[in-house]
Amino acid sequence: STGSRLVVHETMPMKNPIKSITCLAILLLLIPDSLRAEEGCADRLEAIDRASWDGFGAAVSLSGETAVLGAYGESGGRGAAYVFRLLEGGGWAQEAKLMDPEANANDNFGWFVSVEGSSALVGSYLDDRSLLNSGSATIWNRQPNATWSMGSRLAPDDPVQNHYFGNSVSLSGDLAAVSAFGDDTGGQNAGSVYLFRRSAEGAWSQEAKLLGPDQTTGDAFGYSVSVSGNRVLVGSAFDDVNGVTNAGSAWIFERDGVGDWTPVTQLFRN
């Protein structure tokens, strides 16, 4: 969400992504025309080239007058991300369609997206570029002529098979967070989050790798991630908390003055 605008998608189980569609479309279909303006649901975003099983809207992100929606099933699972822009007279129009120039079938480009200002971050968690399902994420930038071009491809320094790097992504200024819930560093599928920073010259490089302070096998630390300034919030969907199996938790990390990232708070349901 941003300001008085909100983009919503339907929550879906990780193991059954193929039937995901936008909750935004569902809400608009259910709310009568006479109530749409009052309820703030006047705009429905649709891809110009929409097709069956695209998964359009499985991931969404909004920043100011720019919305990015992922369609991981587009073109046989190669995936795509669609950029929409708010028009001066009102209403939204498709501005661009982003596709990985080196995509393969079932890479799921657009599984997760994040946009801030004129930059977008797109996850492709089943990308086999390095190893099977190792994953990748790409940075895209809006150009002065309103086109979008790929700027950088982000990948961890230690890629492994079934890493699922790019499962969740978040962008804030010069900091990008990309999760890899399949990372086995702390145990099988214990998970991790990688942080990348953009230099003054525009180049991106890995700054840190975050692990759950108390992680164990199957925690899926990095199942979700959000970054804002010098703080990162990381979800650990299957963390066992206080003896409750798979209860889940989240950790907040903060960056100190010398550039080190430290876990400061664990969030969980009472």
Side-chain angles (χ1 to χ4, degrees):
S1 67
T2 176
S4 58
R5 303 186 185 98
L6 177 67
V7 177
V8 184
H9 71 91
E10 180 184 22
T11 301
M12 60 186 177
M14 177 65 75
K15 299 299 183 181
N16 185 26
I18 198 65
K19 295 184 179 180
S20 174
I21 57 176
T22 60
C23 185
L24 178 62
I26 295 173
L27 288 173
L28 288 170
L29 289 172
L30 293 178
I31 297 175
D33 290 344
S34 60
L35 297 179
R36 289 184 183 177
E38 179 181 349
E39 297 296 329
C41 293
D43 297 306
R44 179 179 184 178
L45 308 183
E46 298 177 328
I48 294 174
D49 59 348
R50 59 189 178 276
S52 298
W53 309 119
D54 274 356
F56 177 84
V60 299
S61 184
L62 184 64
S63 176
E65 298 177 348
T66 302
V68 177
L69 296 90
Y72 66 89
E74 210 270 349
S75 298
R78 287 172 173 81
Y82 293 82
V83 182
F84 289 79
R85 193 77 181 268
L86 180 63
L87 304 176
E88 290 186 3
W92 293 77
Q94 183 176 318
E95 181 175 76
K97 178 182 180 180
L98 313 181
M99 298 187 72
D100 190 327
E102 302 174 5
N104 295 307
N106 299 317
D107 276 356
N108 281 195
F109 176 88
W111 178 263
F112 215 97
V113 298
S114 180
V115 61
E116 185 180 75
S118 296
S119 296
L121 176 60
V122 182
S124 182
Y125 85 118
L126 296 182
D127 186 359
D128 300 331
R129 188 170 315 279
S130 298
L131 295 164
L132 178 66
N133 296 335
S134 57
S136 71
T138 48
I139 298 284
W140 298 75
N141 300 304
R142 178 188 279 120
Q143 304 304 311
N145 61 356
T147 61
W148 287 74
S149 62
M150 194 178 89
S152 301
R153 186 181 300 277
L154 308 183
D157 293 339
D158 57 348
V160 296
Q161 182 172 307
N162 296 326
H163 215 180
Y164 304 128
F165 176 88
N167 167 73
S168 183
V169 301
S170 184
L171 186 63
S172 177
D174 294 325
L175 183 65
V178 183
S179 73
F181 77 89
D183 190 336
D184 297 335
T185 300
Q188 186 176 11
N189 294 332
S192 66
V193 169
Y194 293 82
L195 302 181
F196 297 81
R197 189 167 295 277
R198 178 168 46 194
S199 68
E201 294 74 30
W204 290 85
S205 60
Q206 184 176 317
E207 176 175 279
K209 177 180 179 178
L210 308 182
L211 301 174
D214 61 348
Q215 70 180 166
T216 59
T217 296
D219 277 356
F221 178 85
Y223 198 88
S224 57
V225 64
S226 181
V227 59
S228 178
N230 287 323
R231 292 188 179 91
V232 177
L233 176 62
V234 183
S236 185
F238 305 118
D239 187 12
D240 299 339
V241 180
N242 295 332
V244 181
T245 302
N246 295 338
S249 70
W251 280 92
I252 294 178
F253 289 73
E254 292 185 354
R255 186 175 187 266
D256 61 25
V258 297
D260 294 328
W261 289 86
T262 305
V264 294
T265 304
Q266 184 182 26
L267 308 178
F268 53 85
R269 183 177 178 179
N270 292 330

